[in-house]
Amino acid sequence: MAGLAESGSNPDVELLYDINGLAKDAPHWFDRVMEFVGEYGLLFAIVLLVLWCWWGVRRRGGEDAASHVAALVWAPLAAGVAVLINVPIRGFVERPRPFKTHDGLEVLIEGKNDFSFVSDHATLVMALAVALFVAHRRFGIAAIVLALFGGFARVYMGVHYPTDVVGGFALGTAVALLLSPVAMALLTPLTRAIERSPRVGWLVSARGPEGTAGRDAVIPGARKESAGAGERDLAA
């Protein structure tokens, strides 16, 4: 292939052709499935995990419910902040999509004319997944696995280089972790105020502040400490 020959010994381009080459050998229906999964399906699945986790936290209630809900609220906010940070990065790097500079790729989705580095999809799903992990280990691990597969799907679809995806994973992880203390300091008082409201308190806790806290929290001991300690643990 002309594009592969031009890549020389570039492992990024070689891996792109290896992964995208799977799309050429796969049945047409499987490529359509990967197109949907890579573009919408995995992001939707991770959002459902965040909502499922929130439903369980509010149903159990407990003195730490507000802190856990604040951590879950941070998940979509972290994804949004990460994508906003990526806007100037993409404009500065200005890396074309791989199918614009390399021949012979099987591109499963059309209309991708913006820049390639860093991958918005990879940034978005990993920020969601890592922020969810901070709030809940079990759900977070499942989300991270889905995010990793989502990155693979973007390369499989021929719309990103592997390094675009790795860069997105790194950016999403950094935003979710590094800004978490600030986010928790701002969001936890808000969720506590909502919890005390007779009208919308059910959004945070169905049982009130004295229920049982979740045993799968990242910092299990937080449920036995004061509310302030719980906030510090989640922000760590």
Side-chain angles (χ1 to χ4, degrees):
M1 299 178 196
L4 185 56
E6 293 171 1
S7 72
S9 59
N10 187 336
D12 193 23
V13 178
E14 291 176 358
L15 187 57
L16 164 67
Y17 274 98
D18 288 341
I19 296 176
N20 181 254
L22 299 174
K24 294 184 177 181
D25 300 328
H28 178 74
W29 65 265
F30 184 79
D31 284 348
R32 298 286 73 79
V33 170
M34 287 294 288
E35 176 186 342
F36 174 79
V37 167
E39 190 72 5
Y40 308 107
L42 289 173
L43 175 60
F44 183 67
I46 294 174
V47 170
L48 285 180
L49 283 176
V50 174
L51 292 175
W52 187 3
C53 187
W54 162 76
W55 185 261
V57 167
R58 65 163 294 277
R59 186 178 61 182
R60 285 191 302 269
E63 62 181 10
D64 295 326
S67 296
H68 291 308
V69 170
L72 292 172
V73 171
W74 170 233
L77 292 178
V81 170
V83 170
L84 287 177
I85 292 175
N86 189 31
V87 171
I89 294 176
R90 294 178 73 141
F92 177 76
V93 177
E94 294 186 346
R95 186 184 200 181
R97 295 279 182 169
F99 55 82
K100 291 184 177 291
T101 53
H102 299 285
D103 299 328
L105 291 173
E106 185 77 10
V107 183
L108 301 187
I109 188 167
E110 302 296 333
K112 298 293 183 180
N113 297 315
D114 54 346
F115 295 122
S116 187
F117 185 91
V118 174
S119 167
D120 274 340
H121 272 77
T123 301
L124 189 65
V125 295
M126 190 55 76
L128 274 170
V130 172
L132 179 56
F133 179 80
V134 171
H136 195 288
R137 278 201 187 99
R138 185 177 58 187
F139 282 91
I141 289 174
I144 289 172
V145 171
L146 291 176
L148 291 173
F149 183 70
F152 173 84
R154 302 302 289 177
V155 181
Y156 180 97
M157 294 162 62
V159 295
H160 280 295
Y161 294 95
T163 48
D164 297 338
V165 170
V166 173
F169 287 165
L171 177 59
T173 300
V175 169
L177 293 181
L178 296 180
L179 297 184
S180 178
V182 176
M184 292 303 300
L186 295 174
L187 292 173
T188 301
L190 176 60
T191 55
R192 290 197 184 282
I194 293 174
E195 184 181 24
R196 292 192 295 269
S197 170
R199 291 181 177 272
V200 294
W202 60 271
L203 289 171
V204 175
S205 175
R207 296 185 177 184
E210 300 303 323
T212 302
R215 62 182 178 183
D216 285 318
V218 170
I219 308 296
R223 65 180 182 272
K224 296 180 180 179
E225 299 173 0
S226 65
E231 294 171 22
R232 290 195 298 272
D233 284 337
L234 281 172

